Amino acid sequence: MASNGKVITCRAAVAYGPGQPLVVEQVQVDPPQKMEVRIKILFTSICHTDLSAWKGESEAQRAYPRILGHEASGVVESVGEGVIDMKEGDHVVPIFNGECGHCIYCKSSKKTNLCGKFRVNPFKSVMDSDGKCRFRNKDGIPIYHFLNTSTFSDYTVVDSACLVKIDPHAPLDKMTLLSCGVSTGLGAAWNTADVQTGETVAVFGLGAVGLAVVEGARTRGASKIIGVDINPEKRIKGEAIGITDFINPKEIDVPVHEKIREMTEGGVHYSFECAGNMDVLREAFLCTHDGWGMAIVLGIHPTPRLLSLHPMELFDGRRIVASVFGDFKGKSHLPLFAKQCMAGVVKLDEFITHRLPFEKINEAFQLLLDGKSLRCLLHL
């Protein structure tokens, strides 16, 4: 491309302060440095992690100005020195939980999907190679990065470890969902829990991640998938994707875990907490069956509160674990996952509830804030 090696001036949605509307303005994007890739973003979307960062709910999320966004798909514009697994024109998906392939974590293929250098890190706001930003505004002020990706921009620069090359025939709009929400939820059902045919599942919080768990449990043949949400409208979407039962905690007169134990002869095999609420997490833990139940934490918990859990409660055989990016190793596993989505194994259409042009990004934030969207796809 004619822009190869040059600074690119393009649009980006910049966060200048907590809760302030994003400012769509012209920014400058530097060329990629060693082991970096500059990509043209074609589609991006918003998840609750972006919403949390926009609100500035934790100290780690208060670096300003900043370009948020970590769900996207696009095309490689140029590559930096040392990048050999991607080239100009490749279709790619950025990932917030990278995979360098060389560190002790990446080599422990069956132990963890974390990377020593490029794992998810909300405190990281600059590039790894030189500790600098690749974005500047019109006044030359550096603009910070977000979660290894910063996809709310026509162009962005990411470490090659945080970019996955996918099949060029894959529909890029739908592949955006693989950057975070769908991979996180479905992977938790497939990889973390390894749900088997006939097993039972409870999902607390029917947002995009929770519904992705439902999709994962459905494709594995779970016999009962219980959706739990205080929004009665979530029942319709949940049933469309695969829940067999729905519980609104506001409409029952007993604790949710008691109701689920009653429905499942003692508790579910697996529960998934996707709400980011400490009280909900305790209910999710208690609703699993003693002896073998497992509660998987997926929700983001910005609160300093600690989980109320007595060690002896674990002696009944219940376990509680967390799952990062659905235990997918991005560069190793996502290309195959993308092909499975293309083959119809996973239903992605149900997750895209709205489509808007990039300029209306603040409307997309409001839709998610109001609970009216799962994923609003923004086309650049």
Side-chain angles (χ1 to χ4, degrees):
M1 291 186 180
S3 56
N4 197 314
K6 300 178 181 178
V7 173
I8 289 178
T9 299
C10 67
R11 294 173 308 169
V14 183
Y16 280 98
Q20 296 180 17
L22 301 183
V23 179
V24 179
E25 62 182 4
Q26 294 292 302
V27 302
Q28 292 183 318
V29 186
D30 289 337
Q33 300 303 306
K34 185 176 181 179
M35 296 306 295
E36 295 175 358
V37 181
R38 187 164 61 184
I39 60 176
K40 178 175 176 56
I41 299 293
L42 298 180
F43 299 95
T44 188
S45 55
I46 302 164
C47 87
H48 278 88
T49 305
D50 299 311
L51 194 61
S52 176
W54 172 69
K55 292 178 181 178
E57 289 183 339
S58 73
E59 195 66 35
Q61 298 163 338
R62 294 174 190 159
Y64 299 110
R66 198 170 200 176
I67 295 178
L68 304 175
H70 66 288
E71 278 194 347
S73 59
V75 178
V76 172
E77 178 270 340
S78 59
V79 302
E81 177 189 348
V83 178
I84 60 174
D85 61 337
M86 279 169 280
K87 64 183 185 303
E88 178 185 316
D90 283 344
H91 289 195
V92 289
V93 171
I95 50 174
F96 64 89
N97 190 54
E99 180 187 355
C100 74
H102 308 296
C103 69
I104 188 172
Y105 295 89
C106 288
K107 290 180 178 179
S108 301
S109 59
K110 295 183 179 180
K111 298 291 185 181
T112 181
N113 70 332
L114 297 179
C115 174
K117 263 182 119 173
F118 299 105
R119 69 174 70 188
V120 54
N121 180 1
F123 289 95
K124 185 178 178 182
S125 57
V126 294
M127 297 303 292
D128 189 79
S129 63
D130 58 6
K132 296 180 181 180
C133 302
R134 299 290 177 262
F135 302 107
R136 297 184 304 279
N137 67 12
K138 63 181 184 299
D139 298 318
I141 298 173
I143 300 174
Y144 292 110
H145 295 248
F146 176 68
L147 288 185
N148 293 320
T149 48
S150 292
T151 62
F152 294 163
S153 176
D154 283 327
Y155 289 86
T156 189
V157 177
V158 302
D159 290 288
S160 62
C162 299
L163 202 59
V164 178
K165 179 181 175 180
I166 58 172
D167 191 310
H169 298 104
L172 280 175
D173 56 346
K174 298 176 187 177
M175 292 299 103
T176 297
L177 303 175
L178 273 57
S179 280
C180 181
V182 168
S183 296
T184 296
L186 187 138
W190 281 7
N191 304 324
T192 312
D194 191 19
V195 176
Q196 299 295 304
T197 301
E199 292 184 325
T200 55
V201 166
V203 183
F204 290 73
L206 296 179
V209 172
L211 290 173
V213 173
V214 172
E215 176 69 357
R218 179 194 67 80
T219 61
R220 283 294 184 88
S223 62
K224 186 178 286 291
I225 306 173
I226 304 169
V228 182
D229 204 294
I230 59 175
N231 182 351
E233 296 181 5
K234 295 292 182 70
R235 178 173 196 155
I236 299 173
K237 178 60 75 172
E239 289 177 342
I241 291 181
I243 64 170
T244 59
D245 302 87
F246 179 80
I247 296 176
N248 184 338
K250 293 183 176 180
E251 296 178 352
I252 59 176
D253 54 7
V254 297
V256 174
H257 74 269
E258 290 186 11
K259 181 67 174 177
I260 291 177
R261 287 184 186 181
E262 176 188 323
M263 296 167 63
T264 56
E265 297 182 353
V268 292
H269 291 85
Y270 305 102
S271 69
F272 299 82
E273 188 277 318
C274 310
N277 181 291
M278 204 64 69
D279 298 322
V280 172
L281 177 53
R282 178 159 178 79
E283 288 296 302
F285 172 72
L286 293 174
C287 84
T288 61
H289 204 292
D290 66 341
W292 57 78
M294 177 188 289
I296 295 103
V297 184
L298 296 172
I300 301 297
H301 289 258
T303 172
R305 283 183 60 198
L306 300 180
L307 176 63
S308 175
L309 182 68
H310 194 283
M312 296 306 296
E313 290 180 304
L314 297 170
F315 276 72
D316 285 334
R318 296 185 179 91
R319 290 172 290 164
I320 182 168
V321 301
S323 176
V324 177
F325 199 46
D327 279 329
F328 277 120
K329 294 177 79 70
K331 293 175 81 73
S332 297
H333 297 157
L334 250 57
L336 174 59
F337 184 34
K339 288 183 179 292
Q340 290 174 305
C341 292
M342 292 171 65
V345 175
V346 178
K347 299 181 296 184
L348 294 180
D349 289 328
E350 295 286 346
F351 293 89
I352 301 174
T353 54
H354 298 77
R355 293 174 182 261
L356 290 173
F358 182 65
E359 292 81 1
K360 294 188 177 182
I361 189 170
N362 287 300
E363 291 183 28
F365 264 87
Q366 195 62 47
L367 285 168
L368 187 62
L369 189 63
D370 294 340
K372 295 180 179 178
S373 71
L374 291 177
R375 284 296 183 267
C376 179
L377 201 64
L378 298 165
H379 51 87
L380 287 88

